Amino acid sequence: MTAIEFTYHIAKVSKSLKPFAVRLTKDSDDANDLLQDTLLKAFTNREKYADGTNLKAWLYTIMKNTFITNYQRMVRKNTFIDTSDNLHYINSLENSTDNDAHNKFVMEDINRAVDSLEETYRVPFMMHYRGFKYHEIAEKLHIPIGTVKNRIHIARKELKDKLSLYAYSF
C-alpha cells in the first residue's frame, strides 16, 4: 500500500477515533492531542501495517497504547520523591483537612438544575442516570424509544446550559 493510499484509508477511519479519545482522556483538547499522536505514529509506522488486517482496530490499539504510555509518563513525572531522612510526615494525614464545601455547592447547583427541568425531560433523564436502558424507559413511560432519546438529549443540553458556570472548573 502506498503512502497516499494509506493516508486515504486513515482519513476515512480517523473520524471514528475521536469519541474513543474523548472517552479515554475525558478532555477535548487532550483527546485532540491523543488523536494527533495516534495518527502520527500510524503514519510513521505504516510499514508495520499488514494489508488485509483491520485498520480501525490497528489504530484503536495504537491510541490505547499511546494513552497508557502518556498516562504512565505523567504519573512518574508527578511522583514525589523525598530524599530527606525525616520520613515522619510523609503520608501523614493527621495534619491535613478536607474542605468539601465546593463539592457541596456544586451538588446543590446540580440538584437545583435537575429539579428545574420540566417533568417530561427530568423523568427519562433521571431514569437513564439511574441505569435504565432506553428501551426500559420507553416501556415504563409508554413512549417511543426515539422520544426517550430526544428527551434525554434535551435534558442534557438544558443542564449543560444551566451549569455552564462549571464547564471549566474541573
Side-chain angles (χ1 to χ4, degrees):
M1 181 181 300
T2 67
I4 294 172
E5 291 172 328
F6 187 77
T7 304
Y8 172 75
H9 290 298
I10 282 184
K12 282 182 14 183
V13 175
S14 66
K15 290 177 182 74
S16 66
L17 292 172
K18 177 74 186 257
F20 184 59
V22 171
R23 253 183 280 135
L24 287 172
T25 62
K26 310 272 190 278
D27 180 68
S28 182
D29 292 333
D30 290 341
N32 288 333
D33 292 342
L34 179 60
L35 181 60
Q36 184 177 9
D37 289 346
T38 300
L39 296 177
L40 179 65
K41 284 182 181 181
F43 190 76
T44 56
N45 294 300
R46 69 183 177 274
E47 70 280 351
K48 295 177 184 175
Y49 173 74
D51 275 341
T53 59
N54 186 344
L55 178 63
K56 195 174 190 180
W58 189 66
L59 290 170
Y60 273 84
T61 303
I62 292 173
M63 180 174 282
K64 181 182 64 141
N65 291 340
T66 302
F67 172 76
I68 291 169
T69 302
N70 290 344
Y71 179 79
Q72 290 171 338
R73 187 177 298 134
M74 182 187 66
V75 168
R76 275 194 304 268
K77 186 177 90 176
N78 292 334
T79 300
F80 174 73
I81 300 173
D82 184 16
T83 57
S84 68
D85 292 334
N86 184 2
L87 301 177
H88 177 72
Y89 289 108
I90 294 180
N91 296 328
S92 173
L93 295 176
E94 72 183 55
N95 291 329
S96 68
T97 55
D98 288 331
N99 184 351
D100 291 331
H102 178 72
N103 292 341
K104 184 178 180 196
F105 288 127
V106 171
M107 284 309 299
E108 286 175 359
D109 288 347
I110 290 171
N111 289 332
R112 199 173 310 121
V114 169
D115 290 342
S116 72
L117 291 173
E118 290 181 38
E119 185 177 353
T120 55
Y121 302 122
R122 183 179 64 247
V123 172
F125 175 80
M126 290 307 296
M127 288 176 75
H128 184 66
Y129 173 76
R130 290 184 181 113
F132 285 90
K133 305 288 185 216
Y134 290 134
H135 66 90
E136 295 171 330
I137 298 169
E139 287 174 14
K140 288 222 184 243
L141 299 179
H142 307 293
I143 56 177
I145 195 167
T147 304
V148 170
K149 291 178 180 180
N150 185 40
R151 288 180 181 178
I152 292 171
H153 172 76
I154 290 171
R156 285 179 178 155
K157 189 174 177 184
E158 285 186 26
L159 289 173
K160 184 178 178 184
D161 292 342
K162 291 177 182 182
L163 299 169
S164 63
L165 168 70
Y166 298 107
Y168 301 104
S169 66
F170 294 107

